[in-house]
Structure formats: structure tokens, C-alpha cells
Amino acid sequence: MKHQLSQPKAGRKCSAKPRTSAAQLEAALKALNSLIECGHEYPDAHTKVALTRGVDGDALTAAYDAQGARRCGRWARAPS
């Protein structure tokens, strides 16, 4: 017997993205940074972490980008 997907209830959107808690996202970001520091390329590391940690890939990308902006922000300014 084949598994059939149920239809979403009226007025509700169906989302394939996993829900990501702040703790899950923080742990995934640490894992992503660790893989990159060990020499893995970002796209491969991102995919591996998102799949193995079960986090939303877009949320992980946003967290990674925000982290970079914070790290580089103070160094990007010209010395006074």
C-alpha cells in the first residue's frame, strides 16, 4: 500500500521547511563554522550540517551571514 499525503486544512499553508529552535540553530552554526575551519567548502558544509542537524537551510544561511557581518563590521571601518 502506498503512503498518501494528506491535504492541508483550508486556510493553512503546507511548509516543507523544518522548524528550527534557537538552540538547534546555534549548535548547527557552531558545527558549520567548525567544518569550514577544517577546510570544508561552505556549500558542502552547509548542506551537510542542515541535513544532519535537521535545521532550516535558509535560517542557517541567515545566521552565518549575520555572524560574518558582526565579525567584519568592526574591522571593516578605516582607522581614525
Side-chain angles (χ1 to χ4, degrees):
M1 178 180 251
K2 288 186 177 180
H3 177 72
Q4 294 181 355
L5 297 174
S6 61
Q7 295 294 323
K9 293 182 181 180
R12 295 180 77 193
K13 287 188 173 184
C14 182
S15 175
K17 293 182 180 180
R19 294 179 187 220
T20 304
S21 72
Q24 285 176 307
L25 189 57
E26 185 177 336
L29 184 58
K30 286 181 183 179
L32 178 60
N33 286 327
S34 178
L35 286 175
I36 291 170
E37 287 174 12
C38 289
H40 292 265
E41 296 290 329
Y42 173 82
D44 296 331
H46 177 273
T47 301
K48 182 176 184 172
V49 170
L51 291 175
T52 58
R53 299 280 178 149
V55 298
D56 176 40
D58 293 336
L60 182 56
T61 298
Y64 182 81
D65 290 346
Q67 161 194 270
R70 284 193 307 269
R71 280 187 181 171
C72 296
R74 65 182 172 153
W75 302 110
R77 287 182 251 150
S80 347

